[in-house]
Amino acid sequence: MEYKYFDLKTAKELLPWVREKLKELREAHLNAERALLSGKKEFIEHYSLKVDSVVRDITEKGIIIRDVSLGLVDFPAVINDRPAYLCWKADEDDIRYWHYVEEGFAGRKRLTGSENILSYQ
């Protein structure tokens, strides 16, 4: 199921799945790099296809991968009646940050509970 935007509850429910997918993505990416460096061409295609498959799994839900090595992803949202992202990194235990579309990662703000996040409810 693809989401055009996420509310906080939906994004949080998907976190365990996203964590697992990012783990798969990092492993496949690392294995592809190792195969490339060692000249094992027969494995490069296999791992590259795995990377493509996992990226597709994540993005088909509407989640945006910003940085594979950091495990940085954005969940499109509507916050305070403006396009925004719920922002999460793999080393964070929960979604605690957000930013407007034009601000990027540098504009991350801590969720305070006072934000008006468009909900499916």
Side-chain angles (χ1 to χ4, degrees):
M1 171 182 210
E2 180 181 340
Y3 299 91
K4 294 193 185 296
Y5 68 90
F6 292 84
D7 56 22
L8 190 55
K9 179 180 181 279
T10 305
K12 285 183 175 199
E13 287 171 353
L14 284 169
L15 272 187
W17 179 84
V18 172
R19 273 190 187 98
E20 186 58 37
K21 287 295 177 181
L22 285 175
K23 181 180 172 188
E24 288 177 36
L25 182 58
R26 283 193 298 269
E27 286 174 9
H29 187 261
L30 183 61
N31 287 334
E33 286 180 349
R34 286 181 183 148
L36 182 63
L37 291 173
S38 66
K40 296 182 179 176
K41 295 178 184 176
E42 64 275 12
F43 294 110
I44 295 170
E45 183 176 0
H46 169 75
Y47 293 128
S48 296
L49 289 172
K50 179 66 175 175
V51 167
D52 182 62
S53 171
V54 175
V55 166
R56 199 174 318 210
D57 286 348
I58 294 170
T59 58
E60 282 178 351
K61 289 203 181 294
I63 301 165
I64 300 167
I65 302 168
R66 297 293 186 191
D67 187 311
V68 173
S69 61
L70 290 176
L72 177 63
V73 299
D74 280 339
F75 296 84
V78 178
I79 302 175
N80 302 329
D81 299 319
R82 291 176 54 191
Y85 297 110
L86 296 166
C87 186
W88 178 78
K89 285 182 4 184
D91 65 348
E92 298 169 347
D93 64 341
D94 203 356
I95 298 172
R96 292 198 173 96
Y97 297 93
W98 69 280
H99 58 86
Y100 289 118
V101 170
E102 68 276 5
E103 294 176 316
F105 183 80
R108 275 175 42 132
K109 295 173 249 327
R110 196 169 227 333
L111 286 165
T112 64
S114 64
E115 300 83 9
N116 177 18
I117 302 174
L118 188 62
S119 175
Y120 289 116
Q121 313 300 323

